[in-house]
Amino acid sequence: MSTAEHGHDVIRETPDLYGVFPRLTPEQLETLAAHGERRRTTEGEVLYREGEPFRDFLAILSGTVEILQDHGGPEERTVAVHGPGRFLGELALLEGEAAFDTAVVREAGEILAVPVERQRALVGRDPVLGDLILRAYLGRRYLLIGLGAGFRILGSCYSPDTLRLREFAARNRLPHRWVDLEKDKEAEALLRRFGIRPEETPVVIWKGERVLRNPDNAELARLIGLPAPSPEAGRCDVMVVGAGPAGLAAAVYGASDGLTTVTVDAVATGGQAGTSSRIENYLGFPSGISGGELIERAVFQAHKFGARLMVPAQVSGLTPQDDEYVVTFTDGSRTRAGAVVLASGVWYRRLEVPGIDRLEGISVYYAATVHEASLCQADPVAVVGGGNSAGQAALFLASHASRVHLLVRGGDLNADMSRYLVDQVERHPRIEVLLHTEVRGVRGQKKLESLIVEDNRRSERRELRAAALFVFIGARPRTDWLTGVLALDEKGFVLTGADAQAAADATRWDSLGRGPLLLETTLPGVFAAGDVRSGSVKRVASAAGEGAMAIRLVHDHREKTGNLVRTAGPEGPRPVTGRTVSRS
């Protein structure tokens, strides 16, 4: 991958072809110098190492630095080479993760080192410098993902645990590479090198030396440097369940208002929005923005105001207690909260087709990210669905696959898809729209080879070649754990406002002298925002708006009960770093 060249002890700087290796201005370096210190470097010095936490933000004043993957290992390769004016690191520095590569001084010189905590605060205060660094770090993260840097997942494509680990890594936008036990030539060598028996897979290999045999998601999170949630009980003003756009908006507005705010998610920050290749109708981004970038910016913003994010942490129970709520997690730990915002989103609906279960995660997917697209190569693929998610996926996959068949059950693409997407889909030379078409069967033993599709007007069936199937046919709410706790509609979405009042226990509300507020459920102080709420508009912008609105309503509720925890000092809440933090 590298554009660096070695020869006669000369190493050339990597060109900034994609805007991810910008150079700081003398004025920006001067601003940074007020918060850090100058240090001399020596040839061969390791400035930071893969697998270890970042201690400093480093800018190069003179000399050159080489960024390496698998430094000292059998697969060592150059990622980039930087000269004076450039800065080092990637998204892991801002989010408290371990480094996914190693920085080695190639030509001695001088660097400017700013402690990570000061740098995070500076990025939040200086919009120009902050945006420059954040954009570069986001771009570098996706370069690492494309390179297959980071840890390796070694496992069979037929293993549910392999699928689980791959999904966790992809949804959290973590650099990694999957080595398929079934067909990757590297697999056998890795099994011998680490003494792994095939039945012990899947395994995660970190830093080319450490092996975790079938770790759960929390173990994988700890492996990359994210501190695990503490089992000790704590208390917060607001507990936000779900870290999609609604949950992250609630985290940002809650923390910025000085409330102790904890946001948890069972899998990843971002929800469905985080898997979107491009969101083109989100206000303020006329050229569009990827779901991953939007979510990473929101995560950093939440940290900036002092919100605590815990991933993975799955909620299993909600119990009223003394005008507050006890939130129980699947690991048995508990947290008390003065108010709760439910923003747990939805699950994608599965396609009910005989034999499809054995192909899920292998060549049948419910998201279309860079990870899934890289597996398609130049093969034809099919997308099922007639909404915006299906349209966005078709356009994204058309840049990877030789042909995309968009299968729509209805007869009008305009019925559920935004007009701007319809125009792009219909114009794209690699996308074929098949209306009145439904999937009736799949063919292929170890992976998808073709689909049996039916024209639902004439009941005519035919075979359609496809190496992968992407399904976007709606979703169901993540509310199984709320059954019997508060009122849900017939589809399982959470009732709020006037709908909740009709189903609420009047005796519970009489003492408050009011009914449920606009986003409030049948439990006082428990609010629902985003896709999980009955009657919500299933759009990223509306979810973010509801998350912010929920915090306003939390204030209205708490004015009655007065049980806020004010832990912030006169300068506001202290930032808490990292994507996963202690509950204590």
Side-chain angles (χ1 to χ4, degrees):
M1 172 267 179
S2 173
T3 53
E5 296 181 10
H6 299 265
H8 307 293
D9 296 322
V10 174
I11 188 165
R12 294 170 55 185
E13 187 179 59
T14 305
D16 184 18
L17 299 178
Y18 306 104
V20 297
F21 303 136
R23 214 176 297 278
L24 298 170
T25 66
E27 292 77 18
Q28 289 170 332
L29 287 169
E30 186 176 339
T31 298
L32 289 168
H35 299 273
E37 62 177 9
R38 293 171 176 262
R39 295 180 192 166
R40 297 297 304 175
T41 60
T42 57
E43 185 177 339
E45 178 183 355
V46 176
L47 300 178
Y48 60 79
R49 195 179 299 275
E50 180 182 350
E52 297 178 359
F54 287 94
R55 292 180 175 82
D56 299 294
F57 170 88
L58 303 173
I60 303 171
L61 300 177
S62 61
T64 57
V65 176
E66 185 175 13
I67 308 301
L68 295 163
Q69 180 191 343
D70 194 31
H71 175 50
E75 299 179 23
E76 179 178 302
R77 57 175 169 170
T78 302
V79 175
V81 177
H82 300 303
R86 289 191 179 177
F87 53 90
L88 309 181
E90 57 97 39
L91 203 59
L93 184 146
L94 294 179
E95 297 197 349
E97 299 169 354
F100 288 102
D101 48 32
T102 300
V104 180
V105 176
R106 289 305 179 208
E107 294 176 356
E110 190 177 28
I111 59 172
L112 178 62
V114 181
V116 165
E117 291 301 325
R118 294 185 194 173
Q119 180 63 21
R120 289 176 183 143
L122 186 62
V123 167
R125 289 198 307 266
D126 187 325
V128 176
L129 180 62
D131 196 61
L132 176 75
I133 293 171
L134 189 56
R135 280 182 176 274
Y137 278 0
L138 286 165
R140 293 179 193 184
R141 168 57 59 92
Y142 286 109
L143 280 180
L144 289 177
I145 291 173
L147 274 175
F151 55 89
R152 278 177 288 190
I153 299 172
L154 171 59
S156 168
C157 61
Y158 307 117
S159 164
D161 281 315
T162 298
L163 173 60
R164 171 182 56 80
L165 291 168
R166 289 173 56 207
E167 181 183 16
F168 181 80
R171 291 283 300 276
N172 281 282
R173 300 167 292 282
L174 301 175
H176 69 286
R177 184 165 86 251
W178 172 42
V179 181
D180 188 352
L181 192 64
E182 304 296 331
K183 57 185 178 182
D184 201 308
K185 295 179 181 179
E186 183 187 357
E188 186 62 36
L190 286 172
L191 291 174
R192 289 197 302 268
R193 177 182 169 189
F194 292 102
I196 303 166
R197 298 191 304 274
E199 61 268 23
E200 293 179 302
T201 60
V203 300
V204 171
I205 303 171
W206 177 237
K207 296 166 56 177
E209 57 189 34
R210 184 178 175 189
V211 177
L212 268 68
R213 286 165 170 78
N214 196 16
D216 60 28
N217 291 352
E219 288 178 282
L220 181 53
R222 288 194 293 271
L223 179 71
I224 62 170
L226 299 178
S230 166
E232 299 175 11
R235 189 186 182 285
C236 60
D237 289 334
V238 184
M239 170 67 71
V240 183
V241 181
L248 289 173
V252 168
Y253 281 87
S256 65
D257 281 355
L259 308 180
T260 55
T261 306
V262 177
T263 301
V264 301
D265 198 285
V267 180
T269 55
Q272 292 188 61
T275 68
S276 177
S277 57
R278 196 129 199 103
I279 302 170
E280 294 194 62
N281 58 352
Y282 192 75
L283 186 66
F285 295 91
S287 59
I289 184 171
S290 73
E293 180 177 351
L294 180 66
I295 295 306
E296 293 293 3
R297 286 177 174 273
V299 168
F300 178 72
Q301 197 172 15
H303 286 317
K304 167 186 169 181
F305 288 116
R308 293 179 284 170
L309 305 183
M310 300 194 306
V311 177
Q314 185 169 356
V315 176
S316 60
L318 178 66
T319 308
Q321 189 175 95
D322 302 328
D323 293 327
E324 295 186 334
Y325 291 93
V326 175
V327 180
T328 306
F329 296 84
T330 52
D331 64 1
S333 58
R334 297 181 173 188
T335 299
R336 290 177 66 91
V340 177
V341 177
L342 303 172
S344 50
V346 294
W347 296 98
Y348 286 114
R349 290 191 184 279
R350 263 41 185 176
L351 194 63
E352 299 297 329
V353 173
I356 199 171
D357 292 354
R358 59 184 170 80
L359 298 176
E360 288 185 346
I362 301 167
S363 46
V364 175
Y365 308 102
Y366 294 86
T369 68
V370 173
H371 170 69
E372 288 85 15
S374 66
L375 303 175
C376 296
Q377 300 175 347
D379 296 318
V381 302
V383 176
V384 177
N388 282 357
S389 295
Q392 290 166 345
L395 289 166
F396 173 64
L397 292 167
S399 62
H400 296 80
S402 59
R403 191 154 190 79
V404 177
H405 304 289
L406 180 58
L407 314 181
V408 183
R409 182 173 60 179
D412 183 5
L413 202 57
N414 289 280
D416 298 302
M417 191 180 296
S418 297
R419 185 67 230 177
Y420 79 93
L421 275 175
V422 173
D423 291 341
Q424 293 180 58
V425 165
E426 291 181 336
R427 288 200 308 265
H428 202 290
R430 290 187 183 177
I431 298 177
E432 178 188 17
V433 179
L434 300 175
L435 300 176
H436 300 289
T437 303
E438 298 183 53
V439 178
R440 297 304 187 202
V442 293
R443 288 184 177 173
Q445 290 302 312
K446 291 190 174 182
K447 64 176 184 177
L448 182 68
E449 296 174 3
S450 63
L451 301 170
I452 303 302
V453 298
E454 179 179 277
D455 185 318
N456 57 29
R457 294 168 299 179
R458 297 186 292 269
S459 298
E460 295 176 354
R461 296 191 177 190
R462 65 186 177 100
E463 188 171 356
L464 187 69
R465 194 167 79 87
L469 176 65
F470 295 82
V471 182
F472 299 91
I473 56 172
R476 61 181 178 85
R478 303 186 185 208
T479 55
D480 293 346
W481 63 283
L482 291 170
T483 302
V485 177
L486 44 71
L488 309 174
D489 69 12
E490 68 279 3
K491 294 182 179 179
F493 291 91
V494 180
L495 294 175
T496 57
D499 293 332
Q501 184 163 7
D505 179 356
T507 59
R508 188 188 293 272
W509 293 87
D510 287 345
S511 61
L512 295 178
R514 65 174 181 84
L517 300 170
L518 184 61
L519 300 181
E520 202 165 15
T521 69
T522 50
L523 291 178
V526 178
F527 302 84
D531 290 358
V532 76
R533 188 178 69 81
S534 179
S536 67
V537 178
K538 305 300 188 279
R539 292 289 186 270
V540 175
S542 60
E546 288 189 8
M549 188 191 308
I551 296 302
R552 175 64 263 171
L553 299 176
V554 165
H555 286 294
D556 292 344
H557 168 71
R558 290 308 176 191
E559 284 177 4
K560 295 278 188 181
T561 57
N563 63 351
L564 292 178
V565 178
R566 296 292 183 181
T567 58
E571 295 180 359
R574 291 175 296 175
V576 179
T577 59
R579 190 183 282 160
T580 308
V581 301
S582 169
R583 282 196 285 272
S584 57

